[in-house]
Amino acid sequence: MEWRLRRAVSGDAPALSLVAAATFLETFAGTISGPDMVRHCNVNSAPAKFDAWIGDPSCVATLAEHPDGAAPVGYTLLLPPDLPIETDERDIELRRIYALSLAQGTGLGHALMTRAIDDAKALGARRILLGVLGINLRARAFYEREGFELAGTRQFRVGDTIYDDVIYARPL
C-alpha cells in the first residue's frame, strides 16, 4: 500500500489531534488507566498544541494519510529535545511516531521513520533521540531495527502513575 506522507500545515491540527489520541488509546489501553489517558490526550494532543508545533520552525509534524480518502492514520513529531540526557543544539527529539493498528505491518512505520530522519537532517540535526515506555517491547524492537541504541532512562508521568521509559539515540 502506498501511504501518503506530508508535512503538516496550518489547518492540519484537528487531524493530528485525532490520530494522536486514537493511536495513544490503541497503544496504551490496558497499561494506562482510562481517566488518565483521556486527560493526557486532552492536554498533550489538543489541536492547539499541534497548531503551535506546526507554526514553530524548529518542529516538524508529518501526517500519514490513507491512500483511499486521506483519513489520518499516523504521524510523527520532531521537536527540540526535552530529555534527561546530555544534548546540544544539533540534537532533535522524535517526540512521537505512531500509526493506527490498521497500518501496522504495512511498512508505514519504516516510511514515517525514514521521513523523520530526512526531516531531522534538513533541520541540521546530528542525532535523533526518542523516549519509549520500557515495557513496550514491540516499539523497542522497531527502534533497534531502525538503528537506535540505548542512551539513557527517564520516568514519565501520566496522571498519577509514573512509568519507566528508555531513551534511544541514533546518529544522523
Side-chain angles (χ1 to χ4, degrees):
M1 183 170 295
E2 286 293 319
W3 301 105
R4 289 189 292 192
L5 304 182
R6 63 178 180 81
R7 187 169 183 159
V9 296
S10 178
D12 284 332
L16 286 162
S17 177
L18 176 67
V19 76
T23 55
F24 195 81
L25 176 63
E26 276 193 338
T27 302
F28 297 112
T31 301
I32 296 173
S33 77
D36 284 348
M37 187 174 304
V38 170
R39 193 168 31 257
H40 180 83
C41 288
N42 283 336
V43 171
N44 295 297
S45 295
K49 285 258 192 181
F50 281 104
D51 272 331
W53 290 321
I54 290 168
D56 184 337
S58 68
C59 303
V60 175
T62 296
L63 186 59
E65 298 173 324
H66 197 283
D68 298 323
V73 295
Y75 75 109
T76 61
L77 182 62
L78 291 166
L79 304 169
D82 180 20
L83 296 164
I85 64 171
E86 188 173 331
T87 62
D88 67 31
E89 70 279 349
R90 299 214 41 225
D91 288 330
I92 195 151
E93 180 182 351
L94 181 55
R95 178 79 50 89
R96 300 188 193 170
I97 178 170
Y98 285 99
L100 288 171
S101 59
L102 70 90
Q104 292 175 2
T106 67
L108 178 58
H110 176 71
L112 282 166
M113 182 63 78
T114 298
R115 176 72 176 260
I117 289 168
D118 290 345
D119 288 339
K121 289 177 182 176
L123 289 172
R126 68 167 179 82
R127 183 172 69 156
I128 191 168
L129 307 165
L130 61 87
V132 60
L133 182 63
I135 61 172
N136 189 344
L137 300 181
R138 182 177 181 182
R140 292 181 65 179
F142 170 74
Y143 299 135
E144 290 169 8
R145 283 192 309 273
E146 295 289 333
F148 285 81
E149 295 182 355
L150 285 173
T153 60
R154 72 170 173 190
Q155 292 191 314
F156 187 79
R157 177 183 295 276
V158 179
D160 294 328
T161 306
I162 296 176
Y163 298 90
D164 293 318
D165 283 3
V166 293
I167 299 168
Y168 280 101
R170 178 186 171 181
L172 299 176

